[in-house]
Amino acid sequence: MASSSTSVVVSNKEKENKNTKKVTLKSSDGESFEVDESVAMESQTIKHIIEDGCANNEIPLPNVTSGILSRVIEYCKKHKEAAGESEPSVTSYTSNSTTNPLTEWDTEFVKVDQNTLFDLILAANYLDIKGLLDLTCKTVADMMKGKTPQEIRETFHIKNDYTPEEEAEVRKENQWAFE
Amino acid sequence: MAVESIKITNTDTDTDPDPDLSLVLSYKRRKEDDFEEDPKEFPILSPYRKRRRLEEEEPDPDDSTQLPEFIKIEELPDAILFEILYRLPCRWALQCKSVSKRWCSVISHPLFVRNAMLHRHPFSKSNTEPFTLVLYHDKKILALPFDEDCGGVGDGDVDGDGDGLDFLDFLPCIEFARKNYPFCVEASFNDLLLIRSVVLPIVNSGFTEYCICNPITKQWIILPRLPYEVNSGILLVGFICNPDSCDKEKGCITNGHYSYRVVRIRSPTQSNTTQIRMQIFSSDTGEWCDSLVSSPRGLNSFVGTPAHAGVVACNGLLHWVDENDRMIRGFVVFDPFNSAQGCRYIDPPIDFSRGEWVSFGVFQGRLRIFQKSSLQCPRSFSVWELEDYNNAGTWCLKYKIYSEDMVSEYSDLLKMAKEKISTGSLLAFHPNVGEIVFLQFRKYIVLCNMRTRVLTMAGRLEKLLPGYFDSLPAKYVFLVGQPSWPTPVPLPLKFECPSPFLFSEFVSKRQKFKKQQQEVEKLRATPTPIPLPV
């Protein structure tokens, strides 16, 4: 475990197993999760709460259920570890699979059902975890790539509120994209 | 994937791995056994999806694992949908506009394009975008696409018709112009082309017409006509666009709108004139206006190198060559956006040979000049880059390549490089790789790596220049980029309409154009009645 402090965490190669500061996160359904502070601080939202000194007790996260929170914690842990193992540089959030060794893990991580995926997006947004937001949004975008608008509507249960004329108009404006 | 964080509550989850995951794993097994699917498809366990799925699929054994709330994408806030959609490539994002009205408004958000472009190239300008080298000569075009791996297409096949203009078929005037009028590709900027046609004063008083078009999106706009001039002298034409914020509140560049300028620069008739006449079209006003632009130094006629080198747009500025008595004196710099009353002047590099041809180009926002030294031995060419516009210009010599140092697996090329007849004139600088330059070696388009001095074949020019041995002026070589988001064509403002020539009507609304199309069809369709034989 990387040692941590209350200020911005700098990842380093030493792995000390003592005096690791922990915080407790409480999900919307009442479950509490104790995690290393450094892992929790992957979330900018939690980081600000801790830095503002309001984190003495548990940090309540009313927008995140326990199932999702446990996954998010898993993600943060994994990415924090990876950052610790590599050089002390910024973990690249752009998913460039040739350089990012976490890509395979990330790919497995997002193999979940649609609901969970959207929950993860909402959680990543609420907790302000850039890497997770990027990963989950990109996953959904990839689900859309290659599909016609009708297929997208079916995949995501979207109601078509265009009249046929309106839809033809929109299509025509960007005709080249459909060819 | 055991969850390592310690849970303080009594729920025992150590033996029971994450329930959702177990279903994912078992679903995957089922997937492999039962049916083939798109491997990218993620296992979806939602009940709706199951119902639509094939009958072979077994029902979900443990329904209690479904989350209590069923979140649909429609319930996500717009901001989240925005985050998802701008990560789509341009083509798919535009298709998604027709999914629903909400999606359309998210995609049409002023910041959408900007975010999409930043997402694709977060750190710097792209250096892998594909592009097309468009070479124009005598109403014929040769288009050589280069993909991201910089691989050329070999012969760059000019189409069967012979003039390579099929990719411009979406332009209403092109059919007529191809056959009848002198027209030419005047300039390019990003992925836009500026095309000029001149209608001679036969039936009417004649006019000059410019058209801005994007061959990829097939959008086009015709600029207000200019009256035909008998003696226009040598004209240099520059075309430039600036991304423009239409959203003053956001105060940032949105990349959704651009401001365009087309500048027709008239050759000074005498030497050493300090005022130069121009006609400038601005997309902000939708009109041409005549202006007299002052210059800090005397400018001279465009005969010679200036006409050969043309106008280059770079950094929001237009540049052209100033020459007198066959000696290059410097370069004129003009900003049509911010200071259209006066232009600036930069001197050529010190180690530059003023008596020889020069060609221009741009590499990633920096102006480059290319000069072949045909008069000196050993033969070589040099490339300078402009580092600073101040102090009458600070140049840096980037490359100097001697013919004798060139290497190639094509012995023909090496032979030509050493010829006395000058070969190896500039066609274009590679837009993504600074050390690569396209040269013309007689009928060949050659790719030269200035670092390794290796020459490779990139295309052939026979079809474009059947009997033509001179060098193709660099101003007729256009680098048409394929940015991740296509540059929009300017919107019409107050363009005028009517004219007896239906093919080049101005359009402001699609319905008008459609109407005209119908009229044209009607005219074409009603033939002169043939008297029936009795």
Side-chain angles (χ1 to χ4, degrees):
Chain A
M1 308 277 185
S3 65
S4 62
S5 63
T6 46
S7 54
V8 176
V9 176
V10 174
S11 57
N12 53 45
K13 291 198 170 109
E14 282 182 78
K15 298 195 175 198
E16 292 172 6
N17 210 352
K18 49 185 183 198
N19 288 341
T20 51
K21 198 143 188 227
K22 297 209 189 281
V23 294
T24 309
L25 308 174
K26 188 162 178 183
S27 70
S28 60
D29 45 339
E31 265 195 62
S32 295
F33 298 79
E34 191 185 62
V35 289
D36 285 351
E37 195 179 81
S38 61
V39 170
M41 302 242 278
E42 289 280 294
S43 153
Q44 296 297 305
T45 308
I46 294 176
K47 179 165 177 281
H48 292 141
I49 294 174
I50 292 174
E51 284 173 347
D52 288 348
C54 308
N56 295 325
N57 305 319
E58 300 182 321
I59 300 179
L61 301 172
N63 290 6
V64 191
T65 62
S66 55
I68 296 299
L69 186 54
S70 66
R71 282 183 195 271
V72 171
I73 290 170
E74 209 186 310
Y75 176 90
C76 293
K77 229 183 175 312
K78 184 71 183 182
H79 279 245
K80 191 78 207 151
E81 270 171 22
E85 281 161 11
S86 59
E87 293 159 20
S89 57
V90 176
T91 312
S92 166
Y93 285 125
T94 56
S95 50
N96 186 344
S97 46
T98 51
T99 59
N100 192 344
L102 287 181
T103 304
E104 237 185 78
W105 189 91
D106 282 348
T107 311
E108 287 303 310
F109 182 78
V110 286
K111 283 190 177 159
V112 295
D113 62 283
Q114 240 188 65
N115 271 347
T116 309
L117 196 52
F118 292 138
D119 279 336
L120 282 171
I121 293 179
L122 289 168
N125 185 53
Y126 170 66
L127 293 170
D128 196 357
I129 306 171
K130 188 175 185 315
L132 183 59
L133 185 67
D134 203 44
L135 172 66
T136 45
C137 285
K138 188 91 191 12
T139 306
V140 179
D142 287 342
M143 286 162 73
M144 294 177 193
K145 237 193 289 190
K147 289 193 163 67
T148 66
Q150 182 54 30
E151 287 166 355
I152 291 180
R153 286 190 207 113
E154 282 167 20
T155 310
F156 297 103
H157 325 298
I158 300 168
K159 187 171 177 322
N160 182 4
D161 53 354
Y162 280 120
T163 66
E165 295 82 33
E166 285 169 339
E167 192 178 337
E169 177 93 6
V170 173
R171 248 190 102 102
K172 204 161 179 191
E173 262 173 28
N174 302 292
Q175 190 57 41
W176 69 277
F178 288 88
E179 284 160 18
Chain B
M1 283 209 280
V3 176
E4 287 176 5
S5 58
I6 304 163
K7 293 188 189 175
I8 294 179
T9 59
N10 285 331
T11 314
D12 177 15
T13 52
D14 290 332
T15 51
D16 175 17
D18 197 319
D20 281 357
L21 273 180
S22 70
L23 280 169
V24 166
L25 291 169
S26 60
Y27 183 85
K28 261 164 92 171
R29 259 180 268 123
R30 250 185 281 134
K31 197 171 74 158
E32 278 144 24
D33 296 334
D34 289 348
F35 43 83
E36 292 178 61
E37 324 190 290
D38 177 6
K40 290 207 183 79
E41 198 83 65
F42 298 103
I44 306 286
L45 299 174
S46 67
Y48 285 10
R49 180 113 177 141
K50 273 194 330 204
R51 245 180 266 132
R52 277 186 313 103
R53 275 327 215 143
L54 312 164
E55 286 73 39
E56 304 101 284
E57 184 180 342
E58 297 156 44
D60 191 15
D62 191 359
D63 264 299
S64 62
T65 59
Q66 292 299 323
L67 298 171
E69 274 165 20
F70 183 56
I71 300 175
K72 295 184 265 195
I73 201 168
E74 289 298 81
E75 290 171 29
L76 290 176
D78 278 357
I80 302 277
L81 188 60
F82 181 89
E83 285 286 329
I84 295 171
L85 292 177
Y86 77 68
R87 287 169 163 87
L88 279 170
C90 169
R91 223 172 251 270
W92 304 113
L94 288 175
Q95 283 199 25
C96 282
K97 274 191 172 184
S98 60
V99 168
S100 80
K101 289 184 181 172
R102 176 190 174 220
W103 281 44
C104 187
S105 72
V106 168
I107 297 167
S108 310
H109 189 279
L111 286 177
F112 190 91
V113 176
R114 179 170 171 270
N115 275 34
M117 290 176 74
L118 278 177
H119 171 75
R120 218 157 304 284
H121 311 292
F123 302 117
S124 62
K125 286 187 199 252
S126 83
N127 42 18
T128 52
E129 276 175 3
F131 61 94
T132 306
L133 211 57
V134 174
L135 303 114
Y136 170 82
H137 176 76
D138 193 24
K139 284 179 82 164
K140 287 190 295 229
I141 283 182
L142 184 65
L144 282 178
F146 285 83
D147 58 25
E148 284 161 5
D149 301 322
C150 306
V153 193
D155 283 354
D157 215 27
V158 176
D159 61 41
D161 185 75
D163 64 1
L165 285 167
D166 285 352
F167 76 101
L168 290 177
D169 263 351
F170 59 96
L171 291 175
C173 51
I174 206 73
E175 182 69 37
F176 211 85
R178 254 157 125 161
K179 297 189 195 122
N180 300 296
Y181 300 148
F183 86 97
C184 72
V185 181
E186 193 74 74
S188 79
F189 189 87
N190 280 357
D191 47 343
L192 299 178
L193 288 176
L194 179 73
I195 297 181
R196 178 193 71 185
S197 40
V198 178
V199 175
L200 299 171
I202 302 169
V203 181
N204 61 3
S205 52
F207 54 87
T208 300
E209 189 171 79
Y210 288 92
C211 168
I212 298 176
C213 69
N214 185 325
I216 297 171
T217 64
K218 301 195 169 39
Q219 290 181 318
W220 52 271
I221 190 82
I222 298 185
L223 307 189
R225 287 180 184 160
L226 293 167
Y228 176 80
E229 290 160 46
V230 180
N231 278 322
S232 57
I234 302 178
L235 264 179
L236 289 180
V237 179
F239 174 43
I240 191 167
C241 317
N242 242 2
D244 189 55
S245 172
C246 262
D247 209 323
K248 302 292 179 212
E249 306 150 17
K250 306 263 189 276
C252 63
I253 295 175
T254 60
N255 285 109
H257 294 92
Y258 286 76
S259 190
Y260 307 78
R261 298 284 186 277
V262 177
V263 181
R264 283 162 51 104
I265 312 163
R266 296 183 180 285
S267 173
T269 41
Q270 303 162 324
S271 42
N272 222 9
T273 35
T274 50
Q275 286 204 313
I276 193 162
R277 285 174 55 217
M278 297 187 191
Q279 278 171 303
I280 304 177
F281 170 82
S282 160
S283 63
D284 298 339
T285 60
E287 290 175 340
W288 290 94
C289 82
D290 288 310
S291 44
L292 263 177
V293 176
S294 62
S295 161
R297 300 214 208 152
L299 300 177
N300 306 283
S301 125
F302 292 161
V303 174
T305 311
H308 177 95
V311 180
V312 162
C314 166
N315 281 327
L317 305 165
L318 293 174
H319 312 71
W320 64 94
V321 179
D322 177 49
E323 182 183 76
N324 194 19
D325 271 343
R326 298 180 182 276
M327 296 289 275
I328 292 168
R329 302 194 48 240
F331 305 93
V332 190
V333 179
F334 179 60
D335 184 349
F337 295 102
N338 301 317
S339 51
Q341 283 74 43
C343 52
R344 285 146 68 183
Y345 204 94
I346 39 179
D347 289 322
I350 301 166
D351 43 353
F352 178 86
S353 165
R354 291 179 183 238
E356 303 207 54
W357 290 116
V358 71
S359 289
F360 269 125
V362 182
F363 175 68
Q364 295 193 347
R366 295 192 293 278
L367 188 72
R368 282 190 170 183
I369 53 178
F370 172 102
Q371 187 175 59
K372 242 181 344 164
S373 67
S374 1
L375 303 177
Q376 299 160 19
C377 256
R379 313 165 52 66
S380 67
F381 71 81
S382 309
V383 173
W384 289 267
E385 211 168 79
L386 184 66
E387 309 220 295
D388 191 355
Y389 283 90
N390 296 320
N391 303 321
T394 314
W395 296 90
C396 161
L397 177 66
K398 297 293 280 190
Y399 301 98
K400 183 161 178 152
I401 312 293
Y402 289 92
S403 304
E404 58 200 17
D405 292 339
M406 291 181 186
V407 289
S408 175
E409 55 180 30
Y410 302 90
S411 53
D412 287 350
L413 293 182
L414 289 175
K415 244 188 349 183
M416 283 190 277
K418 297 180 169 101
E419 271 174 357
K420 289 224 173 97
I421 306 169
S422 51
T423 53
S425 55
L426 175 73
L427 292 174
F429 294 101
H430 195 289
N432 303 331
V433 183
E435 54 201 33
I436 294 184
V437 72
F438 292 99
L439 303 174
Q440 180 190 357
F441 275 46
R442 298 251 189 140
K443 298 274 178 79
Y444 299 105
I445 300 171
V446 173
L447 197 143
C448 172
N449 184 321
M450 297 189 281
R451 186 180 49 86
T452 61
R453 289 142 170 88
V454 173
L455 303 177
T456 40
M457 206 72 91
R460 307 171 76 100
L461 289 167
E462 278 106 338
K463 286 184 184 161
L464 187 68
L465 313 170
Y468 194 65
F469 283 95
D470 287 341
S471 49
L472 187 68
K475 74 174 202 172
Y476 287 128
V477 180
F478 307 102
L479 271 174
V480 181
Q482 255 174 268
S484 52
W485 205 273
T487 316
V489 148
L491 300 172
L493 290 178
K494 15 178 187 163
F495 298 162
E496 291 133 25
C497 248
S499 88
F501 290 81
L502 292 170
F503 71 90
S504 61
E505 288 296 296
F506 302 112
V507 290
S508 55
K509 295 270 178 199
R510 207 173 302 114
Q511 290 89 344
K512 252 191 195 165
F513 176 61
K514 230 185 159 175
K515 238 191 197 171
Q516 286 156 13
Q517 258 197 331
Q518 285 163 6
E519 280 173 272
V520 170
E521 286 309 311
K522 257 197 283 183
L523 282 174
R524 285 202 202 129
T526 45
T528 337
I530 302 166
L532 295 169
V534 174

